[in-house]
Amino acid sequence: MKKILPLFSYIFHPIFIPAMATLFYLFFNTTVFGTEEKLFVFFQVAIITVIIPILFFLILKAVGKIDSIMVAEVTQRKIPLILQCFLIIILVRKSITIHRYPELHFFFLGALLSTILALLSLFGNIKASLHMMAISALTVFVIAISLHFQFQNTFIIAFLILANGLVASSRIEMNAHTNKELIIGFGLGSIPQLLLLFLWL
């Protein structure tokens, strides 16, 4: 089990969570969008939140600003988080608009708020778990859209709740975080999503 646990840190890496949330949203929302539009939206999100950050990571690693995809050091996290903020702002202003994709729009607003809080915490030398921040936000969002679209997703929700525990165990097993950092990350991810539910659920 100890050999398997680290895999969850890669499968549920924060860089993949926005694309996962978009897939869940498009899958549950079966009445509004055609297949072409769904593919267009997904690839937009994937390019902006996965491809661009990966390219940026390779540049930062090449110049010695980052040493690992896990970005373990507090000082190394500031630039990626600032980039993430700008990329999310681009999405919510230009692509995932409130008029066309309101539920997904508020998910990204919550993600933006979480990212800003995580960034600000670095200036207080507080290292929140970005993995827990991401997976907890995804879990709250999937539960909310399941209720919103009245879609029975007991298995998926149960799996995501289990995934929160597996990711937390993975981060501990890899000596990446303390229990306190995991709890902070969980709060930073889930609370903004919960607060924004009042605007769309």
Side-chain angles (χ1 to χ4, degrees):
M1 189 64 181
K2 288 186 176 181
K3 292 181 179 180
I4 297 174
L5 279 175
L7 289 175
F8 292 96
S9 286
Y10 293 95
I11 295 171
F12 294 103
H13 191 281
I15 201 172
F16 300 128
I17 297 300
M20 290 182 186
T22 302
L23 277 177
F24 279 119
Y25 170 71
L26 295 173
F27 177 74
F28 294 151
N29 196 344
T30 57
T31 59
V32 180
F33 312 122
T35 302
E36 288 185 6
E37 184 175 0
K38 288 182 178 182
L39 289 172
F40 180 72
V41 170
F42 174 73
F43 282 116
Q44 270 189 319
V45 172
I47 289 169
I48 293 175
T49 64
V50 180
I51 305 301
I52 292 176
I54 287 175
L55 293 174
F56 202 78
F57 161 76
L58 293 174
I59 293 171
L60 289 175
K61 189 172 182 180
V63 298
K65 295 293 184 181
I66 289 178
D67 56 13
S68 166
I69 194 171
M70 295 301 173
V71 196
E73 298 297 326
V74 171
T75 55
Q76 296 180 0
R77 292 179 162 218
K78 293 178 182 177
I79 295 176
L81 287 177
I82 290 171
L83 173 68
Q84 185 74 0
C85 287
F86 281 115
L87 292 176
I88 294 174
I89 289 170
I90 290 171
L91 270 178
V92 297
R93 285 181 59 86
K94 301 296 184 181
S95 179
I96 310 300
T97 62
I98 191 171
H99 301 293
R100 185 61 179 162
Y101 314 103
E103 301 86 0
L104 193 58
H105 178 84
F106 282 112
F107 168 78
F108 279 108
L109 282 183
L112 176 61
L113 180 56
S114 296
T115 306
I116 291 171
L117 292 172
L119 177 61
L120 292 175
S121 70
L122 295 177
F123 292 95
N125 204 34
I126 299 172
K127 178 185 170 186
S129 171
L130 302 181
H131 281 75
M132 288 306 300
M133 187 174 82
I135 190 65
S136 64
L138 177 64
T139 304
V140 172
F141 180 65
V142 170
I143 292 172
I145 59 175
S146 298
L147 294 172
H148 184 62
F149 294 122
Q150 297 182 343
F151 211 90
Q152 293 295 328
N153 298 295
T154 307
F155 176 77
I156 295 173
I157 292 170
F159 173 75
L160 286 174
I161 292 171
L162 176 63
N164 278 262
L166 291 171
V167 169
S169 300
S170 173
R171 305 309 288 153
I172 291 174
E173 178 63 26
M174 296 175 73
N175 295 316
H177 289 290
T178 63
N179 289 333
K180 180 181 178 181
E181 291 167 350
L182 293 172
I183 292 170
I184 292 172
F186 182 87
L188 289 182
S190 58
I191 292 173
Q193 294 295 329
L194 288 169
L195 291 175
L196 289 174
L197 291 184
F198 292 100
L199 299 178
W200 67 268
L201 186 60

